[in-house]
Amino acid sequence: MACPPTVSLHSFSEKLLDKHVHFQIYCLKDSCLIWIGHDPAVMKNLSVAMPNPRLSACPVATSHLMGDFDDTTSTALAERLSKKTKQQVFVSSNLPLDYMQVPLVEQCIMKKLGKIFLQATSD
Amino acid sequence: MEVVASSAAFSDSVLKNKQISAKVQAIDTDIVCTAFADKTFIIVTQLGKIGGLILVTKDNVVGDCKEPTFSVRVLLGKDDAVHCVIARRIAAVTGLEKPVLVALALKDTSVATARELEELVRTCSVW
C-alpha cells in the first residue's frame, strides 16, 4: 500500500452513535496523520506508531507526543492502524472517551484509507 | 521560487486548510497549513514525510515586556538548533496568537531555503 508522493488531504464527517465526528487524513509518503474530533476542532493529543516487521516480539512501537497522557485513545488507535496499514501512523483523537465509539471510528478510518490506497495504486 | 499548484480543501466550516506545492532552491516542497481552534498546524516537507515535529508557543510574561519570548519544544525527531530556528521563524509568520505545531522534513537547511519557506508559508495563511 502506498500513498501518492505529495501530501493529500481527505476530510469527511460521519454520524456515529448520534454524534457528528469529523475526520481529516493527511496522506504522506509511507505515512499518514489522522485527526479525529468534534466541533470546535481542537488538536490536543498526538500519538505516533511505527511498525517494526523485524522484531516480532514488538510489532509496533508507539509514542505519545503531545497532550493528556491519561487519554490512551490516540496511542491505541495509532497502534492498531499502523499494524493494519504497515505504515507510520500519527493519530490525534480529540473525542471524549467512549468505548462504544472507538471501534466505529476505527472502522470509518480503515474504510476511507482502503479507498485512498486503492485510488493511489490505480493512478 | 515557482508555485506549481495550490488548492483550498473542503470543509472550511470545521477546519480551514491551505496547501501549496513549490520549488524551493530547486527542491520540491509541499506546505500544508491547518487552523485548529487551539493550534495552527503547518507541514513543511521536502521528503514527503512528517519528519520532525516541533511545538512553538508564545510565553506568558507578567509586566512590561515589549519583545515577546517563545518556547520551542521538539516532540519528535532530532533536537538540533537549525531545525528549531527554522520552525520558530515559520511559526512567527502566523503571529503566534495560538501555539504552532510545525512538521519539518527538509533536505536543505540553508538560510536561503529558510527565507523562501517563510515566504511560502505566508502565502498559505489560514490564521
Side-chain angles (χ1 to χ4, degrees), chain B residues 67-88:
Chain B
E67 285 293 310
T69 58
F70 304 95
S71 296
V72 181
R73 195 155 65 93
V74 178
L75 302 180
L76 181 73
K78 203 167 124 190
D79 191 351
D80 78 330
V82 177
H83 283 85
C84 287
V85 169
I86 294 176
R88 156 79 177 78

Side-chain angles (χ1 to χ4, degrees), chain A residues 5-13 22-24 26-33 35 38-44 46 48 63 65-67 88 90, chain B residues 9-11 13-19 21 30-39 41 43 45 47-51 53 55 73 75-76 101 103:
Chain A
T6 46
V7 189
S8 59
L9 281 182
H10 306 268
S11 316
F12 58 103
S13 302
H22 303 299
F23 299 85
Q24 178 149 293
Y26 300 76
C27 210
L28 296 111
K29 193 183 175 190
D30 305 323
S31 58
C32 56
L33 190 149
W35 173 87
H38 288 306
D39 242 346
V42 292
M43 192 201 225
K44 282 198 176 125
L46 188 64
V48 61
S63 178
L65 302 173
M66 185 173 76
Q88 181 185 30
F90 293 80
Chain B
F10 105 148
S11 62
S13 56
V14 183
L15 280 177
K16 207 174 158 198
N17 294 301
K18 237 177 204 176
Q19 191 176 356
S21 297
D30 276 286
I31 294 174
V32 185
C33 297
T34 308
F36 289 99
D38 62 336
K39 268 181 200 75
F41 180 46
I43 301 178
T45 181
L47 299 159
K49 307 202 177 205
I50 290 270
L53 280 167
L55 185 68
R73 195 155 65 93
L75 302 180
L76 181 73
L101 184 62

Side-chain angles (χ1 to χ4, degrees), chain B residues 74-121:
Chain B
V74 178
L75 302 180
L76 181 73
K78 203 167 124 190
D79 191 351
D80 78 330
V82 177
H83 283 85
C84 287
V85 169
I86 294 176
R88 156 79 177 78
R89 286 187 59 164
I90 288 170
V93 173
T94 68
L96 271 158
E97 291 308 314
K98 290 184 273 187
V100 180
L101 184 62
V102 187
L104 272 186
L106 300 178
K107 282 184 189 168
D108 172 37
T109 52
S110 64
V111 178
T113 302
R115 283 209 185 109
E116 280 195 30
L117 289 177
E118 240 181 283
E119 283 311 309
L120 274 177
V121 171

